[in-house]
Amino acid sequence: MAAALLAILGHSRSIFIRFSGEKSAATGLGVLLAVCWQVGLGAAIPFVIVPLVSRIVSHSSILAALAALALRLVLRQPTPFS
């Protein structure tokens, strides 16, 4: 989990592009797929569909995070950071 957190942080604020980027949503989705593929797959659905409908990528990231939280609770998955 520490490596996953560092990967997300590295994609969020990359040293190679002067600490800008904001590309951590897809990395977070990859972490979800690695930790619990059911939650990751459920979060991938709004992550892919929402930008096709609304053309606003930030909405897809927010809805994917909410979907991941809801699916984690429904599927009774443990919190890996606790």
Side-chain angles (χ1 to χ4, degrees):
M1 290 315 303
L5 186 61
L6 288 174
I8 292 170
L9 182 63
H11 281 87
S12 177
R13 300 288 178 195
S14 177
I15 190 171
F16 299 110
I17 49 177
R18 297 187 194 120
F19 296 103
S20 65
E22 308 291 330
K23 305 295 182 201
S24 57
T27 308
L29 181 61
V31 168
L32 275 177
L33 287 168
V35 171
C36 179
W37 67 269
Q38 297 94 343
V39 175
L41 189 61
I45 293 169
F47 192 74
V48 171
I49 292 175
V50 171
L52 297 174
V53 174
S54 72
R55 304 278 186 218
I56 301 173
V57 178
S58 62
H59 288 173
S60 68
S61 301
I62 293 168
L63 288 175
L66 292 174
L69 176 63
L71 285 169
R72 189 188 67 78
L73 293 172
V74 168
L75 296 174
R76 297 178 188 238
Q77 295 294 316
T79 303
F81 298 110
S82 59

